[in-house]
């Protein structure tokens, strides 16, 4: 076979890439030139191959560093109501990162079978009112599966929230899941490599959970990734909603139109970003 073909990388393992072509899958290695240029192909990349070599990578519409996945259409952010406890700080952080990457966001609140979800409805409906589709597991598995459509999707969220468990419910993928550590109330990392798994006409990648996440953006960009802040008209153009007079966001936090946890998380992210910036 000597002709060029275009396909998508659906799996990477030890420097070898599985490419999905129209009718077949083929394992390829990248040309040495990529290593010299320090370019690493990623799962999700559209590539041109020739003679079992990746010879070019199409421009990415977006990419995640960790896990390394490119061209993501949709992310399922999984947050557990319990075990581990609801972590709105990490949820808001993940939302910011995904808004920044311009990925469609779907929110999944897991383990509703372990706790009465009625006490969480004020939180979950707040996010729904921001325009994010909200689902609960295990109840809404079929609806979540339908959200995949023909998209390239990833699941993201803290370790132990049930990401692999959810994907296993879509189909028999036999992804490894783990008992969460009861003493710590958080999970162990059980998901290691990255692969796009076929679900209907789309694809989904499981990802390893994490406890922390670095926000790599400036403060104005951060403020824009809070949808309800972006919609407000503050007195100053480019208001960062911290100390500026005539700030509509601060006023709406005080009168309860904006959820206080959202604003508090925003302030904590602002602080993280400021702490990271080198001082000259
Ligand atoms: N009761 C209940 N248990 C769940 C649910 N989802 C997951 N679990 C359990 O939670 C534990 C962790 O689930 P995993 O699917 O391994 O979690 P994960 O998010 O993939 O974790 P990492 O791979 O470490 O990031 C397992 O014991 C699952 O059986 C759920 O909806 N209800
Ligand atoms: Mg997992
Ligand atoms: Zn403001």
């Amino acid at each position: 076979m000597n002709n060029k073909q275009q396909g998508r990388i659906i799996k990477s393992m030890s420097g070898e890439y599985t490419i999905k072509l129209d009718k077949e899958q083929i394992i390829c290695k990248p040309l040495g030139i990529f290593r010299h240029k320090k370019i690493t192909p990623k799962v999700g990349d559209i590539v041109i191959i020739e003679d079992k070599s990746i010879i070019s990578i199409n421009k990415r519409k977006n990419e995640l560093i960790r896990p390394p996945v490119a061209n993501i259409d949709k992310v399922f952010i999984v947050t557990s109501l319990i075990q581990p406890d609801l972590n709105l700080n990490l949820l808001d952080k993940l939302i910011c990162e995904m808004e920044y990457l311009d990925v469609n966001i779907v929110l999944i609140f897991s383990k509703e079978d372990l706790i009465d979800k009625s006490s969480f409805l004020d939180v979950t409906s707040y996010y729904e009112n921001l325009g994010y589709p909200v689902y609960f597991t295990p109840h809404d598995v079929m609806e979540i599966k339908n959200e995949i459509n023909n998209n390239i999707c990833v699941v993201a969220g803290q370790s132990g929230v049930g990401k692999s468990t959810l994907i296993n419910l879509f189909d028999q993928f036999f992804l490894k899941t783990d008992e969460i550590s009861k003493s710590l109330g958080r999970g162990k990392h059980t998901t290691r490599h990255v692969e796009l798994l076929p679900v209907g006409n789309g694809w989904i990648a499981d990802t390893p959970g994490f406890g922390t996440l670095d926000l790599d953006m400036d403060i104005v960009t951060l403020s824009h990734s809070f949808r309800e802040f972006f919609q407000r008209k503050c007195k100053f153009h480019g208001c960062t909603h911290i100390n500026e007079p005539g700030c509509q966001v601060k006023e709406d936090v005080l009168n309860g139109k904006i959820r206080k946890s959202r604003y508090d998380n925003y302030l904590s992210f602002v602080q993280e970003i400021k702490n990271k910036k080198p001082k000259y």
Side-chain angles (χ1 to χ4, degrees), residues 163-164 176 190-191 206-207:
K163 299 179 295 298
S164 305
K176 195 169 174 294
T190 49
T191 307
D206 196 9
T207 71

mmCIF file of all heavy atoms in Angstrom, residues 163-164 176 190-191 206-207, ligand 2:
data_model
loop_
_atom_site.group_PDB
_atom_site.id
_atom_site.type_symbol
_atom_site.label_atom_id
_atom_site.label_comp_id
_atom_site.label_asym_id
_atom_site.label_seq_id
_atom_site.Cartn_x
_atom_site.Cartn_y
_atom_site.Cartn_z
ATOM 1 N N LYS A 163 -16.379 7.906 36.440
ATOM 2 C CA LYS A 163 -16.237 8.131 35.004
ATOM 3 C C LYS A 163 -16.191 6.807 34.240
ATOM 4 O O LYS A 163 -16.922 6.597 33.278
ATOM 5 C CB LYS A 163 -14.970 8.950 34.725
ATOM 6 C CG LYS A 163 -14.971 10.316 35.378
ATOM 7 C CD LYS A 163 -13.697 11.100 35.098
ATOM 8 C CE LYS A 163 -12.443 10.468 35.690
ATOM 9 N NZ LYS A 163 -12.475 10.372 37.164
ATOM 10 N N SER A 164 -15.289 5.915 34.680
ATOM 11 C CA SER A 164 -15.150 4.618 33.989
ATOM 12 C C SER A 164 -16.425 3.794 34.136
ATOM 13 O O SER A 164 -16.852 3.118 33.192
ATOM 14 C CB SER A 164 -13.963 3.840 34.553
ATOM 15 O OG SER A 164 -12.784 4.622 34.488
ATOM 16 N N LYS A 176 -11.457 -0.653 33.764
ATOM 17 C CA LYS A 176 -11.223 -0.967 35.162
ATOM 18 C C LYS A 176 -11.815 0.137 36.049
ATOM 19 O O LYS A 176 -11.615 1.322 35.825
ATOM 20 C CB LYS A 176 -9.720 -1.079 35.401
ATOM 21 C CG LYS A 176 -9.348 -1.746 36.709
ATOM 22 C CD LYS A 176 -7.852 -2.043 36.702
ATOM 23 C CE LYS A 176 -7.391 -2.565 38.035
ATOM 24 N NZ LYS A 176 -7.492 -1.594 39.127
ATOM 25 N N THR A 190 -7.396 4.878 38.774
ATOM 26 C CA THR A 190 -7.469 3.539 38.189
ATOM 27 C C THR A 190 -7.439 3.566 36.665
ATOM 28 O O THR A 190 -7.351 2.548 36.030
ATOM 29 C CB THR A 190 -8.753 2.827 38.636
ATOM 30 O OG1 THR A 190 -9.845 3.705 38.441
ATOM 31 C CG2 THR A 190 -8.678 2.448 40.105
ATOM 32 N N THR A 191 -7.512 4.749 36.071
ATOM 33 C CA THR A 191 -7.574 4.854 34.613
ATOM 34 C C THR A 191 -6.241 5.392 34.102
ATOM 35 O O THR A 191 -5.804 6.447 34.551
ATOM 36 C CB THR A 191 -8.715 5.808 34.207
ATOM 37 O OG1 THR A 191 -9.898 5.365 34.844
ATOM 38 C CG2 THR A 191 -8.901 5.813 32.708
ATOM 39 N N ASP A 206 -12.177 7.851 28.124
ATOM 40 C CA ASP A 206 -12.096 7.877 29.575
ATOM 41 C C ASP A 206 -10.821 8.642 29.929
ATOM 42 O O ASP A 206 -9.878 8.675 29.136
ATOM 43 C CB ASP A 206 -11.996 6.437 30.106
ATOM 44 C CG ASP A 206 -12.285 6.351 31.595
ATOM 45 O OD1 ASP A 206 -12.718 7.354 32.184
ATOM 46 O OD2 ASP A 206 -12.067 5.268 32.166
ATOM 47 N N THR A 207 -10.789 9.275 31.060
ATOM 48 C CA THR A 207 -9.562 9.952 31.470
ATOM 49 C C THR A 207 -9.304 9.667 32.933
ATOM 50 O O THR A 207 -10.228 9.412 33.690
ATOM 51 C CB THR A 207 -9.654 11.491 31.288
ATOM 52 O OG1 THR A 207 -10.548 12.020 32.262
ATOM 53 C CG2 THR A 207 -10.125 11.868 29.904
HETATM 54 MG MG1 LIG B 2 -11.577 5.556 35.919
#
